[in-house]
């Protein structure tokens, strides 16, 4: 009998989730989501109050990008 193991990363459900960084969920390069701490990787400087979106999840690390306002005209 061959056992099939599903190789699914449940943390991928976090992809495209947007939220605001606050004292309660962000400190020292870590963000707390659903009671789990993730190391943050980003190319931008983040501060409390920033609106961010999760663009990648790998193990215990997530990549965040600042959300752009729909009202911004570039």
């Amino acid at each position: 009998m061959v056992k099939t193991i599903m190789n699914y990363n449940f943390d991928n459900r976090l992809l495209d989730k947007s939220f605001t960084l606050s004292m309660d969920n962000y400190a020292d390069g870590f963000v707390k989501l659903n009671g789990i701490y993730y190391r943050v990787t980003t190319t931008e400087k983040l501060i409390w109050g920033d609106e961010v979106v999760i663009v990648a999840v790998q193990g215990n690390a997530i990549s965040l990008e600042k959300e752009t306002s729909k009202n911004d005209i570039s």
Side-chain angles (χ1 to χ4, degrees):
M1 182 168 119
V2 176
K3 290 184 180 180
T4 303
I5 299 174
M6 282 185 61
N7 190 11
Y8 178 78
N9 182 352
F10 288 99
D11 292 331
N12 282 337
R13 294 177 294 178
L14 297 173
L15 288 176
D16 299 324
K17 176 181 174 64
S18 61
F19 58 97
T20 303
L21 296 177
S22 70
M23 289 178 17
D24 296 329
N25 66 9
Y26 180 70
D28 299 325
F30 286 86
V31 70
K32 182 179 179 183
L33 298 169
N34 302 326
I36 300 171
Y37 287 90
Y38 295 89
R39 181 178 308 276
V40 172
T41 60
T42 185
T43 57
E44 304 173 273
K45 180 165 174 57
L46 301 175
I47 59 171
W48 293 333
D50 284 345
E51 291 284 329
V52 295
V53 63
I54 299 172
V55 295
V57 179
Q58 185 169 2
N60 68 339
I62 58 174
S63 293
L64 299 178
E65 287 183 1
K66 288 184 183 180
E67 273 196 333
T68 56
S69 173
K70 294 180 176 87
N71 296 327
D72 285 348
I73 300 175
S74 299

